[in-house]
Amino acid sequence: MLPSPSSSPVHPARPALETCTNIECTPTQPKLSFAIPTPPDDRRPRKRKLSALGSKSQNIPKSLFSSQPAENAFSADDDSDVETDDTAMLRARGKRFTPIQRHRTFLSRPVGSYTRLEESTLSLLRSFVSSHKSDVFKCQSVDANSFLTPPYACSYTHSARNGSTPLLAVATEQGTIHVLNTARRKDWDIEPQRTSLQLHHNGVFDVKWNMTDTLLATCSGDQSTRITSVEHETITHVLHGHSGTVKCVSWDSKHSDLLATGGRDGAICLWDLRVGEKRGTDSLTACAPVITIPGAHEDLGKPKPRRGKKNVPAPKSVTSLLYPESDIYGLVSSGSADGVLRYWDLRTPPSTRKTKTAKPRAPSCLYSTAVDPTVLHGSKRSRGLISVAVGTGPTAGLIFALGVDSRIHTFTLPSLDALPIGYTHPGMQTNSFYVGLAVSPCGRWLGSGGTGTKGSNFLFDISNAASPQLWGQEQEGIELRGQRGEVGALDWAENALATCADDGTVRVWRPDVEVYRSCQEDPEEKIWDWSWCT
């Protein structure tokens, strides 16, 4: 029945509206509370008793595990073993993942376990072809008794890796630097004008562009490194600090005036182009290293041999250097004695000496590869690393190192742990310290040179290098053959790969599916005009 008007609840009077004014004010809002309500005292959960069999799940009602309500699950006499609904709710909430717990679970997974495998691009790598007429560049000799000279090193500009004009700097055995324009052209078109600079009178073993593509750093067998302005075709800095051949050079991507060099004397020298002395009237600056790391790849903790002692072992050469993008104070180096990488912390502590001429302390080795990967494939002794390249894009955070054992090993940054995945090819031989390694701008492909007389270089798909599904497997690549002798240095531009060989030529490879198919259909005819995958 309907309630009578007299029994109806009395509603409170409605408050009067506030006077409207032009004064801006923010009405106060009641404070929200998200705290979980505390159960009453008479319903607080009590400690459960164990049964005689020691089972904790005998008295748990089915309603806690199923959506169906369980009536009369417990009697009123079993109050000591009853779990209240509030207790079950609290336990269920406690099992839920908070955002921090989800983040920790995500980070605790192995690298690549939460990513699916990328599609293989080996079919696209097989379509790389090179024309005998428009893709071959010759390195002329400055000696009257020879026509060509072998190139030792090459490097594309940073803008070429981003799609701009592909300018390639090639360093030769005679100390000459050729700057080539390797843009695609017709077979009957003449070669674009090149720039040739005679910077050294000895072999140049490495050449690198700075981040703005205005300066070239060249390291030579004359124990010096020279900085050259390509626009003005003049040498601006001469760096002296090594007691042997300077083998490798690397620019700091964060500081335009800083670079590092490694030599066969086993030392790493750090340079600052702002520190130096002007010599002569041609504005040439002579620089000394600001920091030197002697014996960078000697055994840590081993005492140095005494001066004057006979049978002193030869120093372990530094073969490659790179500045990792993830750390502005780090430097990674490789050596010729073993497959161990070392990570140097360049934030050197101040010297304890309080004199003005006190030299700064050498940087400390922050990380080092724990297990040498070159001894894990049947080798009885360690093998050196020839060249090192850092990944980008899908391979960011990885380092690829070419070893004398004819394998490409994979390391992680910054711990430098070796991953159980390698890249090789049945025809791949790399028992020379002149062979190079390079990662493509997209970060999916890896190019390597090779020794021997076949003139072969090799390409690999590395897009799944961080996927644990492929760990423990040897990933094979493809072989490109189009030159004679050893293929040493190589570098990538956008959709192009340049390789240097002992026959004095530089060959450019490009992906072209139509030309590759025509070469497969009529190889006897196309062999006179093209080189392609074997």
Side-chain angles (χ1 to χ4, degrees):
M1 73 185 270
L2 297 176
S4 60
S6 59
S7 62
S8 299
V10 179
H11 296 279
R14 179 177 298 179
L17 297 177
E18 296 182 0
T19 307
C20 296
T21 61
N22 293 332
I23 302 176
E24 296 182 359
C25 61
T26 302
T28 59
Q29 298 181 358
K31 184 178 180 180
L32 301 178
S33 175
F34 297 94
I36 300 176
T38 304
D41 294 340
D42 57 341
R43 298 182 62 186
R44 287 185 181 276
R46 300 179 182 180
K47 187 175 181 180
R48 301 188 54 188
K49 297 180 181 180
L50 295 176
S51 62
L53 298 177
S55 174
K56 296 183 180 180
S57 61
Q58 284 184 349
N59 298 326
I60 298 178
K62 295 181 180 180
S63 60
L64 297 181
F65 299 97
S66 63
S67 59
Q68 300 294 335
E71 297 181 358
N72 300 327
F74 297 101
S75 63
D77 297 337
D78 296 333
D79 185 62
S80 59
D81 291 342
V82 173
E83 280 198 19
T84 63
D85 295 337
D86 293 337
T87 305
M89 179 184 64
L90 291 176
R91 289 195 175 188
R93 289 185 178 181
K95 293 180 180 179
R96 296 177 183 176
F97 283 119
T98 63
I100 296 179
Q101 290 174 337
R102 293 194 190 99
H103 184 65
R104 290 177 178 175
T105 306
F106 179 80
L107 294 180
S108 63
R109 298 178 183 176
V111 178
S113 61
Y114 40 82
T115 58
R116 63 181 179 87
L117 292 178
E118 298 287 343
E119 294 291 338
S120 176
T121 58
L122 284 179
S123 59
L124 182 58
L125 291 178
R126 291 190 181 95
S127 67
F128 272 67
V129 295
S130 178
S131 172
H132 296 334
K133 299 178 181 179
S134 60
D135 290 331
V136 177
F137 302 84
K138 298 181 179 180
C139 300
Q140 288 81 9
S141 173
V142 295
D143 189 359
N145 299 325
S146 60
F147 177 64
L148 299 177
T149 181
Y152 279 174
C154 67
S155 176
Y156 270 110
T157 60
H158 296 278
S159 59
R161 299 174 64 88
N162 297 327
S164 299
T165 304
L167 296 180
L168 178 69
V170 180
T172 67
E173 182 186 28
Q174 299 175 345
T176 308
I177 305 297
H178 301 283
V179 180
L180 309 175
N181 184 353
T182 63
R184 184 191 293 268
R185 68 180 193 273
K186 301 295 183 180
D187 290 343
W188 53 83
D189 292 340
I190 62 174
E191 176 189 335
Q193 184 177 0
R194 68 171 67 178
T195 302
S196 298
L197 305 173
Q198 189 67 38
L199 304 181
H200 299 265
H201 296 284
N202 205 323
V204 177
F205 295 95
D206 199 5
V207 56
K208 292 291 175 58
W209 295 87
N210 69 338
M211 300 306 298
T212 58
D213 297 333
T214 57
L215 299 177
L216 267 179
T218 55
C219 51
S220 172
D222 58 7
Q223 304 181 7
S224 71
T225 302
R226 302 193 176 189
I227 310 299
T228 305
S229 173
V230 180
E231 180 181 1
H232 301 91
E233 300 183 7
T234 56
I235 300 175
T236 59
H237 298 77
V238 178
L239 315 180
H240 285 285
H242 287 278
S243 58
T245 299
V246 187
K247 192 69 176 59
C248 55
V249 60
S250 178
W251 289 90
D252 191 341
S253 59
K254 282 82 175 179
H255 305 279
S256 58
D257 295 318
L258 303 182
L259 67 158
T261 57
R264 288 181 176 171
D265 56 356
I268 298 176
C269 293
L270 304 177
W271 311 86
D272 189 345
L273 301 183
R274 298 166 296 183
V275 180
E277 298 180 357
K278 296 288 185 179
R279 293 185 179 180
T281 58
D282 53 355
S283 67
L284 184 64
T285 304
C287 298
V290 293
I291 298 176
T292 303
I293 308 176
H297 280 267
E298 300 294 336
D299 296 335
L300 298 176
K302 184 178 180 180
K304 298 180 180 180
R306 297 179 181 179
R307 294 183 178 179
K309 185 178 179 180
K310 297 182 179 180
N311 300 327
V312 177
K316 300 177 180 179
S317 303
V318 178
T319 57
S320 188
L321 296 171
L322 63 86
Y323 284 91
E325 295 287 342
S326 58
D327 190 358
I328 61 176
Y329 301 110
L331 180 68
V332 179
S333 64
S334 63
S336 61
D338 50 34
V340 174
L341 296 180
R342 292 187 177 177
Y343 190 103
W344 303 93
D345 186 3
L346 303 184
R347 296 171 294 181
T348 58
S351 177
T352 56
R353 300 179 182 179
K354 297 183 179 180
T355 59
K356 296 182 179 180
T357 59
K359 296 182 179 179
R361 295 181 182 179
S364 58
C365 181
L366 195 59
Y367 302 103
S368 181
T369 304
V371 179
D372 188 347
T374 60
V375 299
L376 302 179
H377 303 279
S379 178
K380 296 182 180 180
R381 64 179 181 88
S382 298
R383 305 284 180 168
L385 298 179
I386 307 172
S387 181
V388 173
V390 64
T392 182
T395 56
L398 299 179
I399 292 180
F400 302 92
L402 177 62
V404 184
D405 58 349
S406 301
R407 294 177 183 271
I408 300 175
H409 305 278
T410 309
F411 301 84
T412 61
L413 276 172
S415 62
L416 301 183
D417 294 331
L419 296 181
I421 183 172
Y423 299 88
T424 185
H425 189 275
M428 184 175 175
Q429 296 180 1
T430 57
N431 52 4
S432 170
F433 283 97
Y434 295 92
V435 181
L437 186 73
V439 176
S440 64
C442 64
R444 298 174 61 94
W445 303 331
L446 183 68
S448 170
T451 58
T453 59
K454 297 181 180 179
S456 301
N457 59 288
F458 304 89
L459 301 182
F460 302 90
D461 182 1
I462 58 173
S463 55
N464 294 313
S467 300
Q469 296 93 321
L470 300 180
W471 289 358
Q473 306 177 17
E474 292 290 342
Q475 306 297 319
E476 292 190 5
I478 66 170
E479 180 181 4
L480 300 177
R481 188 181 301 174
Q483 295 167 287
R484 293 177 298 172
E486 176 182 315
V487 177
L490 74 167
D491 198 14
W492 290 87
E494 187 181 45
N495 298 326
L497 173 68
T499 58
C500 303
D502 283 348
D503 58 0
T505 63
V506 177
R507 182 177 284 272
V508 180
W509 302 82
R510 314 175 197 274
D512 196 324
V513 178
E514 295 182 0
V515 174
Y516 174 71
R517 289 177 179 175
S518 63
C519 294
Q520 292 290 318
E521 295 173 357
D522 191 3
E524 295 182 357
E525 179 67 24
K526 295 296 183 179
I527 197 174
W528 300 101
D529 299 325
W530 298 91
S531 293
W532 62 89
C533 171
T534 57

